[in-house]
PDB file of all heavy atoms in Angstrom:
ATOM      1  N   SER X 183       1.302  19.499  20.882  1.00 96.00           N
ATOM      2  CA  SER X 183       2.464  19.737  21.750  1.00 96.00           C
ATOM      3  C   SER X 183       1.924  20.154  23.191  1.00 96.00           C
ATOM      4  O   SER X 183       2.586  19.798  24.136  1.00 96.00           O
ATOM      5  CB  SER X 183       3.360  20.829  21.219  1.00 96.00           C
ATOM      6  OG  SER X 183       4.438  21.069  22.000  1.00 96.00           O
ATOM      7  N   TYR X 184       0.946  20.913  23.259  1.00 96.00           N
ATOM      8  CA  TYR X 184       0.353  21.378  24.557  1.00 96.00           C
ATOM      9  C   TYR X 184      -0.143  20.171  25.366  1.00 96.00           C
ATOM     10  O   TYR X 184       0.129  19.979  26.483  1.00 96.00           O
ATOM     11  CB  TYR X 184      -0.761  22.407  24.318  1.00 96.00           C
ATOM     12  CG  TYR X 184      -1.577  22.634  25.493  1.00 96.00           C
ATOM     13  CD1 TYR X 184      -1.076  23.558  26.466  1.00 96.00           C
ATOM     14  CD2 TYR X 184      -2.842  22.094  25.759  1.00 96.00           C
ATOM     15  CE1 TYR X 184      -1.863  23.876  27.638  1.00 96.00           C
ATOM     16  CE2 TYR X 184      -3.512  22.367  26.949  1.00 96.00           C
ATOM     17  CZ  TYR X 184      -3.008  23.228  27.817  1.00 96.00           C
ATOM     18  OH  TYR X 184      -3.678  23.463  29.044  1.00 96.00           O
ATOM     19  N   VAL X 185      -0.896  19.270  24.611  1.00 97.00           N
ATOM     20  CA  VAL X 185      -1.379  18.086  25.394  1.00 97.00           C
ATOM     21  C   VAL X 185      -0.238  17.160  25.793  1.00 97.00           C
ATOM     22  O   VAL X 185      -0.113  16.647  26.883  1.00 97.00           O
ATOM     23  CB  VAL X 185      -2.332  17.279  24.426  1.00 97.00           C
ATOM     24  CG1 VAL X 185      -2.738  15.957  25.062  1.00 97.00           C
ATOM     25  CG2 VAL X 185      -3.611  18.154  24.102  1.00 97.00           C
ATOM     26  N   PHE X 186       0.841  17.035  24.992  1.00 96.00           N
ATOM     27  CA  PHE X 186       1.975  16.168  25.108  1.00 96.00           C
ATOM     28  C   PHE X 186       2.631  16.677  26.402  1.00 96.00           C
ATOM     29  O   PHE X 186       3.001  15.815  27.223  1.00 96.00           O
ATOM     30  CB  PHE X 186       2.881  16.203  23.937  1.00 96.00           C
ATOM     31  CG  PHE X 186       4.109  15.412  24.071  1.00 96.00           C
ATOM     32  CD1 PHE X 186       4.107  13.994  23.952  1.00 96.00           C
ATOM     33  CD2 PHE X 186       5.306  16.002  24.405  1.00 96.00           C
ATOM     34  CE1 PHE X 186       5.264  13.324  24.140  1.00 96.00           C
ATOM     35  CE2 PHE X 186       6.505  15.288  24.499  1.00 96.00           C
ATOM     36  CZ  PHE X 186       6.384  13.906  24.377  1.00 96.00           C
ATOM     37  N   ARG X 187       2.930  17.904  26.516  1.00 95.00           N
ATOM     38  CA  ARG X 187       3.654  18.550  27.640  1.00 95.00           C
ATOM     39  C   ARG X 187       2.839  18.247  28.986  1.00 95.00           C
ATOM     40  O   ARG X 187       3.458  18.267  30.014  1.00 95.00           O
ATOM     41  CB  ARG X 187       3.921  19.978  27.513  1.00 95.00           C
ATOM     42  CG  ARG X 187       4.969  20.274  26.421  1.00 95.00           C
ATOM     43  CD  ARG X 187       5.504  21.725  26.427  1.00 95.00           C
ATOM     44  NE  ARG X 187       4.383  22.668  26.407  1.00 95.00           N
ATOM     45  CZ  ARG X 187       3.958  23.140  25.271  1.00 95.00           C
ATOM     46  NH1 ARG X 187       4.398  22.777  24.101  1.00 95.00           N
ATOM     47  NH2 ARG X 187       3.003  24.080  25.231  1.00 95.00           N
ATOM     48  N   ARG X 188       1.563  18.077  28.885  1.00 95.00           N
ATOM     49  CA  ARG X 188       0.757  17.897  30.138  1.00 95.00           C
ATOM     50  C   ARG X 188       0.624  16.456  30.552  1.00 95.00           C
ATOM     51  O   ARG X 188       0.066  16.100  31.608  1.00 95.00           O
ATOM     52  CB  ARG X 188      -0.650  18.526  29.892  1.00 95.00           C
ATOM     53  CG  ARG X 188      -0.661  20.020  29.760  1.00 95.00           C
ATOM     54  CD  ARG X 188      -2.057  20.563  29.786  1.00 95.00           C
ATOM     55  NE  ARG X 188      -2.629  20.504  31.057  1.00 95.00           N
ATOM     56  CZ  ARG X 188      -3.783  19.876  31.334  1.00 95.00           C
ATOM     57  NH1 ARG X 188      -4.319  19.054  30.433  1.00 95.00           N
ATOM     58  NH2 ARG X 188      -4.213  19.805  32.607  1.00 95.00           N
ATOM     59  N   ILE X 189       1.185  15.500  29.738  1.00 95.00           N
ATOM     60  CA  ILE X 189       1.122  14.140  30.125  1.00 95.00           C
ATOM     61  C   ILE X 189       2.114  13.823  31.228  1.00 95.00           C
ATOM     62  O   ILE X 189       3.283  14.036  30.966  1.00 95.00           O
ATOM     63  CB  ILE X 189       1.381  13.233  28.825  1.00 95.00           C
ATOM     64  CG1 ILE X 189       0.346  13.472  27.800  1.00 95.00           C
ATOM     65  CG2 ILE X 189       1.325  11.683  29.291  1.00 95.00           C
ATOM     66  CD1 ILE X 189       0.570  12.719  26.533  1.00 95.00           C
ATOM     67  N   SER X 190       1.641  13.401  32.377  1.00 91.00           N
ATOM     68  CA  SER X 190       2.492  13.211  33.467  1.00 91.00           C
ATOM     69  C   SER X 190       3.330  11.878  33.414  1.00 91.00           C
ATOM     70  O   SER X 190       4.391  11.776  34.022  1.00 91.00           O
ATOM     71  CB  SER X 190       1.747  13.205  34.801  1.00 91.00           C
ATOM     72  OG  SER X 190       0.673  12.211  34.718  1.00 91.00           O
ATOM     73  N   CYS X 191       2.746  10.911  32.683  1.00 90.00           N
ATOM     74  CA  CYS X 191       3.432   9.613  32.651  1.00 90.00           C
ATOM     75  C   CYS X 191       3.559   9.167  31.114  1.00 90.00           C
ATOM     76  O   CYS X 191       2.705   8.425  30.647  1.00 90.00           O
ATOM     77  CB  CYS X 191       2.650   8.555  33.413  1.00 90.00           C
ATOM     78  SG  CYS X 191       3.505   7.025  33.473  1.00 90.00           S
ATOM     79  N   LEU X 192       4.520   9.792  30.431  1.00 93.00           N
ATOM     80  CA  LEU X 192       4.697   9.522  29.057  1.00 93.00           C
ATOM     81  C   LEU X 192       5.078   8.094  28.799  1.00 93.00           C
ATOM     82  O   LEU X 192       5.983   7.531  29.453  1.00 93.00           O
ATOM     83  CB  LEU X 192       5.814  10.439  28.487  1.00 93.00           C
ATOM     84  CG  LEU X 192       5.442  11.994  28.421  1.00 93.00           C
ATOM     85  CD1 LEU X 192       6.754  12.743  28.220  1.00 93.00           C
ATOM     86  CD2 LEU X 192       4.465  12.235  27.348  1.00 93.00           C
ATOM     87  N   ASP X 193       4.345   7.489  27.792  1.00 93.00           N
ATOM     88  CA  ASP X 193       4.752   6.104  27.411  1.00 93.00           C
ATOM     89  C   ASP X 193       5.260   6.172  25.903  1.00 93.00           C
ATOM     90  O   ASP X 193       5.266   7.239  25.262  1.00 93.00           O
ATOM     91  CB  ASP X 193       3.540   5.150  27.527  1.00 93.00           C
ATOM     92  CG  ASP X 193       2.381   5.549  26.835  1.00 93.00           C
ATOM     93  OD1 ASP X 193       2.421   6.339  25.883  1.00 93.00           O
ATOM     94  OD2 ASP X 193       1.259   4.989  27.079  1.00 93.00           O
ATOM     95  N   VAL X 194       5.630   4.973  25.370  1.00 95.00           N
ATOM     96  CA  VAL X 194       6.128   5.006  24.056  1.00 95.00           C
ATOM     97  C   VAL X 194       5.158   5.531  22.994  1.00 95.00           C
ATOM     98  O   VAL X 194       5.472   6.103  21.979  1.00 95.00           O
ATOM     99  CB  VAL X 194       6.639   3.597  23.667  1.00 95.00           C
ATOM    100  CG1 VAL X 194       5.530   2.575  23.539  1.00 95.00           C
ATOM    101  CG2 VAL X 194       7.506   3.558  22.455  1.00 95.00           C
TER     102      VAL X 194
END
Side-chain angles (χ1 to χ4, degrees):
S183 181
Y184 171 78
V185 175
F186 178 79
R187 290 194 304 269
R188 294 188 70 245
I189 300 176
S190 58
C191 187
L192 292 166
D193 60 15
V194 69

